[in-house]
Amino acid sequence: MPGPFMRRSMRHRASGTSGSTAFGGILLLALLFSFPAPGPADTETALWAALKSGGHVALIRHALAPGTGDPPGFRLDDCSTQRNLSEAGREHARSIGARFREHGIGNVVVYSSQWCRCLETARLLDLGKVHPFPGLNSLFRDGSREAAQTADVRALIRKRPKGTSLVLVTHRFNITALSGEIPQSGEIVVLRPDGENLTVVGRIR
């Protein structure tokens, strides 16, 4: 059995080890917290860079259009029967296009739902010719079309021109079906195609 001196020595060594460990832990935490976590601005910069590099998809929910859905009896060939962009929505769409240009993104191909609020958003982006695409049409009234339309959009993404990013202007339910995300008006969900999969890289609000 250890004598008093040995027991004191053992207690001293144990106490010293514990103190060193605690100090080391505090030092490690201090070092970790000395590196700032990436903020929203850093994340958005990376997302814009991804779009500029090509090979990505920008899913954009149309700009501000007050209300929900469309009036009864609306027609695709008559914008006056639909829910449309407000003046604030038009300015909103222009500002989104300006942000693409600010980040030097010009290698895009633009597709849009045939709904007037999407077509107007896409045209006001001013990023190039707008191609109406039925696969991006609203699923709000007819969810039975979700599987077929989503398959059409996936096929469109697979056939995208090499080195370009796609800009797809569509509706909330369509974006959710493709990405699982629920965007606000004018929000951009950035996707990276990985074979048959679409990976959400992030969102630009």
Side-chain angles (χ1 to χ4, degrees), residues 7 50 113 136 157 161 202:
R7 286 197 295 270
S113 158
L136 295 169
I157 292 171

Side-chain angles (χ1 to χ4, degrees), residues 18-61:
S18 176
S20 298
T21 302
F23 178 75
I26 292 169
L27 181 60
L28 179 59
L29 286 172
L31 286 171
L32 288 173
F33 283 113
S34 69
F35 296 101
D42 299 318
T43 302
E44 284 200 6
T45 298
L47 294 174
W48 289 118
L51 290 172
K52 185 176 181 179
S53 71
H56 288 74
V57 179
L59 286 176
I60 304 179
R61 183 181 175 185

Side-chain angles (χ1 to χ4, degrees), residues 57-198:
V57 179
L59 286 176
I60 304 179
R61 183 181 175 185
H62 61 76
L64 295 166
T68 303
D70 286 285
F74 81 96
R75 301 201 318 270
L76 281 183
D77 62 350
D78 186 351
C79 292
S80 68
T81 67
Q82 299 180 34
R83 176 165 66 96
N84 294 301
L85 299 187
S86 62
E87 192 52 48
R90 295 183 184 96
E91 185 56 36
H92 188 193
R94 293 186 191 100
S95 69
I96 296 168
R99 293 187 73 191
F100 273 83
R101 288 185 289 279
E102 285 168 9
H103 289 88
I105 302 169
N107 57 332
V108 298
V109 181
V110 184
Y111 289 88
S112 171
S113 158
Q114 294 174 301
W115 261 246
C116 293
R117 56 185 173 273
C118 289
L119 286 169
E120 188 172 19
T121 298
R123 289 166 182 153
L124 290 172
L125 294 176
D126 195 22
L127 297 175
K129 182 178 179 180
V130 176
H131 305 273
F133 186 69
L136 295 169
N137 286 354
S138 177
L139 295 170
F140 180 75
R141 288 178 179 269
D142 187 5
S144 67
R145 293 286 306 159
E146 179 180 317
Q149 287 185 212
T150 300
D152 289 344
V153 176
R154 287 177 172 273
L156 177 69
I157 292 171
R158 286 195 298 272
K159 296 174 184 176
R160 69 193 179 282
K162 188 175 181 180
T164 64
S165 288
L166 295 186
V167 172
L168 308 181
V169 183
T170 183
H171 308 261
R172 187 189 77 175
F173 287 94
N174 302 65
I175 293 174
T176 301
L178 282 161
S179 68
E181 303 291 322
I182 302 175
Q184 300 297 314
S185 296
E187 189 171 2
I188 305 170
V189 177
V190 180
L191 302 180
R192 182 180 65 248
D194 295 315
E196 294 295 316
N197 299 318
L198 297 174

